Amino acid sequence: MYTYSPSDVSITFAGVPLEGFDITNVVRIKRLDPLYTSKRAMDGSVAVTQQRYSKWQVNVFLAQSSSSNDLLNGVQKLLFASNIKALQFLPLIIKDNSGTTMFFAKDVWLEEVPEMEFGQSLSVREWVFTCNDVECIIGGNAEDLTGITEAVAIISLLQSAYERSSTLVRSLRSLR
């Protein structure tokens, strides 16, 4: 059986859970660069280049009444006004708690201030984050994962956790 519950999608920024999402949309995540680029030579051969690193764009849709707008506005103003090194490590974590999809980024910044609209009904504030150094698992919502699928997901998660922890330790040491 496959079950998806939009109310089970959680987003945490800087350790604080965001809340008050729009009723039609919660979040949109997009890798900005392709996985591979290719060039064709005059003789017809093709060379393919793997693009390991990419920025990602995350759009979070909050109701105008959400208290999370205050948090994001405050963080955005603080980041824009000061150059505090520790603020560059505010993580963004998105998890589908009714499935296996997970997104984690430690280099995150607010790319844009949302448009504001006031009208007859509640409007949406669309916050645009740009992320670097991302780990993303695109999963499903099946309750009965096969053993191989489950093992691959666990190994991938453990490997990325190990890589993230060693990168974070090196980054924290450089702050001294």
Side-chain angles (χ1 to χ4, degrees):
M1 175 174 224
Y2 303 98
T3 305
Y4 166 69
S5 171
S7 62
D8 286 337
V9 173
S10 63
I11 302 175
T12 305
F13 178 61
V16 179
L18 300 183
E19 54 190 31
F21 299 107
D22 178 49
I23 193 153
T24 57
N25 235 345
V26 175
V27 64
R28 181 175 49 242
I29 303 169
K30 178 182 179 184
R31 182 183 161 114
L32 296 176
D33 300 307
L35 293 171
Y36 297 94
T37 56
S38 62
K39 287 274 191 182
R40 182 176 303 277
M42 289 297 287
D43 65 0
S45 64
V46 176
V48 178
T49 305
Q50 182 183 31
Q51 304 299 323
R52 286 179 136 337
Y53 305 103
S54 176
K55 292 187 302 184
W56 291 66
Q57 182 175 310
V58 175
N59 300 58
V60 175
F61 303 90
L62 297 174
Q64 90 181 54
S65 59
S66 171
S67 62
S68 293
N69 288 309
D70 296 305
L71 168 74
L72 296 177
N73 184 63
V75 168
Q76 182 270 325
K77 285 185 178 295
L78 185 62
L79 289 172
F80 195 74
S82 63
N83 189 15
I84 303 171
K85 265 190 149 187
L87 291 178
Q88 65 184 316
F89 299 109
L90 297 177
L92 178 66
I93 303 168
I94 302 166
K95 173 87 175 83
D96 175 3
N97 293 303
S98 64
T100 57
T101 298
M102 192 269 314
F103 178 91
F104 171 80
K106 81 169 180 69
D107 293 338
V108 179
W109 59 96
L110 287 158
E111 186 79 18
E112 299 176 16
V113 175
E115 287 185 30
M116 293 178 284
E117 182 178 301
F118 299 92
Q120 192 77 10
S121 61
L122 201 62
S123 67
V124 177
R125 304 291 188 248
E126 181 178 349
W127 291 90
V128 180
F129 295 84
T130 301
C131 306
N132 191 33
D133 201 8
V134 166
E135 182 58 41
C136 182
I137 297 171
I138 302 171
N141 292 75
E143 291 177 15
D144 55 345
L145 291 176
T146 66
I148 292 175
T149 304
E150 196 170 328
V152 168
I154 290 170
I155 289 169
S156 173
L157 191 59
L158 289 174
Q159 178 185 7
S160 62
Y162 171 75
E163 290 170 0
R164 295 270 173 246
S165 64
S166 62
T167 302
L168 182 60
V169 168
R170 282 194 306 273
S171 297
L172 291 174
R173 285 183 183 155
S174 72
L175 291 175
R176 290 185 198 166

